């Protein structure tokens, strides 16, 4: 019993230390967003002495927040819609066809998760540029290709836990394959679908590298791209940059809070079954 209690205390202590390490950067961002530029350098770690909220309206205006927010919402939402539809349909087809070809294709998707984007970004952007498929539509197609591997992997794992007898019963009742997928399978994949949505939303919303390579029109910039303008060549407007970062992370935190109960279940369904 003493050894068990000691183990519990050790785990609690390690968990507390890990939590502090993860939360501390957010603390610095939020606290310093209420300071003036001078106070950030003189009192970086402490609470603001003369707190101000003036950084937020100024950052809101310089970000062109409404337009940047809508651009980010469009790119994130449209990309996720494509991934959920195509990845779930692909995983359904692969899970129901027990052939060597389907097995090879599934493992091909799984292996693609190990390919870093940096290894393919130059030819990828070059090819899309040659077909004039850059900016918002082009980046959504790129995200579809880059995000489908993990989504297919999770959907495939979840589908292995859904018996094929449901498909057969629906077909006997007169459904075709698409109706089986639409009305039987897709609703049962809800936890995994929510997990795919949240994981990809965090990635797409916060991504800077790919949009910086693909988006080249002023009115289509996302929030991460607009935030970069606070970091100049000779000086950085840290007070505005930190306020902009807080504005940028609020929507994704709200999304996570509403959908968090589905995430762990979805990952477990996709990875274990």
């Amino acid at each position: 019993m003493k050894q068990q209690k000691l183990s519990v205390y050790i785990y609690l202590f390690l968990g507390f230390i890990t939590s502090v390490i993860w939360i501390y950067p957010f603390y610095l961002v939020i606290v310093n967003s209420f300071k003036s530029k001078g106070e950030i350098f003189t009192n970086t770690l402490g609470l603001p002495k003369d707190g101000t909220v003036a950084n937020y309206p100024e950052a809101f205006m310089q970000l062109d927040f409404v337009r940047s927010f809508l651009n980010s919402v469009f790119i994130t939402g449209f990309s996720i819609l494509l991934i959920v539809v195509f990845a779930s349909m692909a995983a359904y087809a692969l899970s129901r066809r027990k052939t060597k070809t389907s097995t090879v294709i599934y493992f091909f998707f799984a292996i693609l998760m190990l390919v870093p984007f940096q290894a393919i970004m130059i030819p990828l952007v070059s090819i899309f540029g040659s077909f004039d498929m850059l900016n918002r539509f082009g980046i959504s197609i790129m995200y579809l290709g880059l995000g489908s591997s993990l989504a297919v992997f999770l959907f495939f794992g979840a589908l292995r836990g859904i018996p094929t007898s449901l498909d057969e019963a629906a077909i006997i009742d007169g459904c075709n394959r698409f109706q089986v997928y639409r009305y039987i399978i897709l609703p049962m994949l809800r936890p995994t679908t929510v997990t795919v949505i949240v994981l990809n939303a965090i990635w797409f919303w916060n991504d800077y590298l790919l949009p910086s390579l693909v988006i080249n029109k002023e009115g289509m910039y996302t929030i991460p791209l607009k935030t970069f303008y606070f970091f100049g060549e000779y000086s950085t407007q840290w007070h505005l940059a930190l306020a902009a970062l807080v504005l940028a992370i609020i929507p994704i935190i709200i999304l996570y809070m509403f959908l968090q109960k589905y995430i762990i279940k979805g990952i477990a369904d996709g990875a274990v079954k």
Side-chain angles (χ1 to χ4, degrees):
M1 292 295 293
K2 290 183 178 180
Q3 291 180 348
Q4 291 180 352
K5 289 183 178 180
L6 180 61
S7 299
V8 170
Y9 289 139
I10 292 175
Y11 289 140
L12 289 175
F13 176 75
L14 293 176
F16 174 76
I17 296 298
T18 304
S19 300
V20 170
I21 293 173
W22 278 96
I23 294 174
Y24 190 64
F26 293 97
Y27 162 81
L28 290 179
V29 171
I30 295 173
V31 167
N32 286 290
S33 68
F34 292 99
K35 299 177 183 178
S36 63
K37 185 177 181 180
E39 188 179 357
I40 290 176
F41 291 100
T42 58
N43 182 31
T44 304
L45 304 181
L47 295 173
K49 296 179 180 178
D50 300 316
T52 178
V53 296
N55 298 333
Y56 283 90
E58 187 174 354
F60 187 91
M61 295 298 296
Q62 293 196 29
L63 274 176
D64 192 7
F65 186 81
V66 175
R67 178 180 295 180
S68 303
F69 176 81
L70 293 177
N71 288 334
S72 293
V73 168
F74 175 83
I75 292 172
T76 302
F78 185 54
S79 303
I80 290 174
L81 177 63
L82 293 177
I83 289 175
V84 169
V85 172
F86 286 100
S88 60
M89 293 177 70
Y92 175 61
L94 293 174
S95 66
R96 292 305 190 252
R97 294 183 180 274
K98 307 296 184 180
T99 63
K100 293 183 179 180
T101 303
S102 63
T103 303
V104 170
I105 294 175
Y106 168 71
F107 281 107
F108 178 73
F109 274 108
I111 291 172
L112 285 179
M113 290 191 296
L114 305 176
V115 179
F117 167 69
Q118 291 80 0
I120 61 174
M121 64 180 182
I122 294 178
L124 183 66
V125 174
S126 177
I127 292 172
F128 272 74
S130 63
F131 286 97
D132 196 22
M133 293 181 59
L134 299 178
N135 295 301
R136 290 187 300 191
F137 178 74
I139 196 173
S140 297
I141 301 300
M142 292 183 189
Y143 280 141
L144 170 62
L146 296 171
S148 292
S149 299
L150 177 60
V152 169
F153 178 78
L154 293 175
F155 280 125
F156 185 89
L159 282 162
R160 292 177 62 185
I162 300 177
T164 57
S165 57
L166 292 176
D167 303 36
E168 297 168 355
I171 292 173
I172 292 174
D173 289 338
C175 292
N176 56 38
R177 278 293 177 182
F178 180 77
Q179 290 174 327
V180 173
Y181 160 79
R182 171 64 181 85
Y183 297 107
I184 306 297
I185 301 300
L186 193 57
M188 298 184 69
L189 292 175
R190 183 176 299 174
T192 305
T193 301
V194 173
T195 302
V196 170
I197 290 173
V198 172
L199 293 178
N200 285 290
I202 294 173
W203 171 21
F204 301 157
W205 186 270
N206 296 317
D207 190 23
Y208 172 81
L209 179 57
L210 185 56
S212 68
L213 297 173
V214 176
I215 298 177
N216 53 25
K217 292 184 179 180
E218 177 66 28
M220 296 186 180
Y221 287 166
T222 60
I223 291 179
L225 288 181
K226 295 292 288 187
T227 303
F228 182 74
Y229 283 96
F230 294 122
F231 299 89
E233 183 176 358
Y234 301 105
S235 64
T236 299
Q237 297 175 296
W238 283 108
H239 56 307
L240 300 181
L242 295 175
L245 291 175
V246 174
L247 292 174
I249 65 177
I250 288 176
I252 207 68
I253 290 177
I254 294 174
L255 175 67
Y256 180 83
M257 290 175 62
F258 277 104
L259 302 179
Q260 61 177 330
K261 64 180 180 180
Y262 296 101
I263 296 174
I264 296 177
K265 185 179 186 304
I267 293 177
D269 287 346
V272 176
K273 289 183 180 180

